[in-house]
Amino acid sequence: MKMNVQAAAAAFQFLTRFPVKMTLDYTPELFRRSTRFYPLVGLAVGLTVWIGGAAASYLLPPLPAAVLMLILWVGLTGGLHLDGWMDTADGLLSYRSRERMLEIMKDSRVGAMGVMACVLLLLLKASLIYSLLLGGLPPLLLLLPPVWSRWFMVHAMASWPMARGKEGLAGSYFNGMTRKQSMESFLLAAGLTLIAALLSPLLPYGPAGIWSYRGITWLHAGLAWLLLPLAAWAAGWWAGRRMNAKLGGLTGDTYGALNEGIETVLLLVLTILIYRF
């Protein structure tokens, strides 16, 4: 029990800026054990963003409410994954050799490609959140993108080799991840999804801050809960394979990039479901 508490605390301390006051001995074993709780971290991020969004959309029009939700979303992670997105864009879009791409990604400075990729990603995310506020997003659906994007980071660690071997933070702490750890993370994500699916039709939601008991059908809820995990796996697997082919493995930066990309894809899927079905 104590080991699980420490592992969960390590996951929150590493991935977020939640004030988890616990002194931990950060060993590779603790880091690897902490990955099973990554979906729980995603749940906490999504729940906090949803609560903040409910308050913002009650006080403000949907566009500034959506931007504030995105600011909160980024702030909760300290921009950790966004930094990986920018570094990965700088490296992969340089179209250099594998060695040179890895050098560029290791550089702490952000290049033009990274800045453009960051701006475009944030614009797309803000527009999708805005559209979901207008369309009357069922509250608990917003929890799923951060839950499943963080599960896929664990899956990626267990599925592809480290591009730099044991170098760097990812190589030092996450090298040797197994499918068992990926499966533990998957089962937690699936369990959280099931609970949210059962509760979702019972909770209030509405457009532009008008929170009312409109309800959604079990068919629509089931479709969303089924499609989002599948979309997370499909998008992540496609991107992970391409990164692995170019870099000869993955890095800590690419895990962050996968998280950001999958979150955005899932927001896009949610928008399509709400507006077209």
Side-chain angles (χ1 to χ4, degrees):
M1 181 65 178
K2 181 180 178 181
M3 293 177 64
N4 283 335
V5 171
Q6 290 179 336
F12 275 90
Q13 287 184 353
F14 180 59
L15 293 180
T16 74
R17 292 296 180 265
F18 286 113
V20 179
K21 304 298 183 181
M22 184 179 290
T23 302
L24 301 171
D25 181 16
Y26 279 103
T27 62
E29 180 186 358
L30 179 62
F31 265 104
R32 286 192 289 270
R33 281 193 287 110
S34 73
T35 58
R36 74 180 66 172
F37 295 103
Y38 279 18
L40 185 62
V41 173
L43 180 75
V45 170
L47 186 60
T48 305
V49 170
W50 168 52
I51 293 171
S57 60
Y58 180 77
L59 297 170
L60 297 167
L63 183 55
V67 174
L68 286 174
M69 287 176 70
L70 182 57
I71 291 172
L72 177 60
W73 202 327
V74 174
L76 287 171
T77 65
L80 175 68
H81 309 304
L82 202 57
D83 179 69
W85 173 268
M86 290 187 288
D87 287 342
T88 301
D90 275 336
L92 293 180
L93 297 179
S94 69
Y95 300 104
R96 305 290 181 86
S97 66
R98 170 187 176 275
E99 290 74 19
R100 181 58 182 146
M101 283 192 285
L102 289 173
E103 286 179 15
I104 292 172
M105 291 167 64
K106 196 173 182 180
D107 193 333
S108 60
R109 295 169 295 182
V110 180
M113 290 299 178
V115 172
M116 286 189 288
C118 179
V119 170
L120 293 174
L121 180 80
L122 293 177
L123 283 174
L124 179 56
K125 271 192 168 182
S127 69
L128 291 172
I129 295 171
Y130 168 71
S131 300
L132 292 171
L133 288 178
L134 285 180
L137 173 70
L140 295 185
L141 286 180
L142 188 61
L143 308 185
L144 292 194
V147 166
W148 286 102
S149 64
R150 281 158 183 78
W151 161 73
F152 195 86
M153 285 200 294
V154 183
H155 182 68
M157 292 173 194
S159 299
W160 290 289
M162 298 290 178
R164 298 192 181 98
K166 294 187 177 181
E167 282 186 48
L169 181 65
S172 300
Y173 290 108
F174 298 115
N175 200 27
M177 288 285 294
T178 65
R179 292 301 178 107
K180 178 178 180 290
Q181 289 156 323
S182 175
M183 181 56 66
E184 290 173 344
S185 180
F186 173 83
L187 291 175
L188 178 57
L192 295 174
T193 299
L194 179 60
I195 294 170
L198 294 174
L199 294 177
S200 187
L202 307 177
L203 294 182
Y205 71 99
I210 305 172
W211 298 81
S212 60
Y213 285 89
R214 291 170 46 193
I216 56 175
T217 67
W218 290 105
L219 177 62
H220 284 84
L223 187 62
W225 307 113
L226 177 64
L227 284 181
L228 290 179
L230 288 174
W233 178 85
W237 189 256
W238 176 82
R241 287 188 64 184
R242 289 180 64 86
M243 291 177 184
N244 180 62
K246 290 188 175 184
L247 299 173
L250 301 185
T251 70
D253 286 327
T254 61
Y255 298 141
L258 284 170
N259 180 80
E260 288 291 338
I262 292 170
E263 278 186 347
T264 306
V265 168
L266 297 190
L267 288 173
L268 184 61
V269 172
L270 279 177
T271 304
I272 294 171
L273 282 175
I274 288 174
Y275 277 88
R276 295 299 175 217
F277 293 94

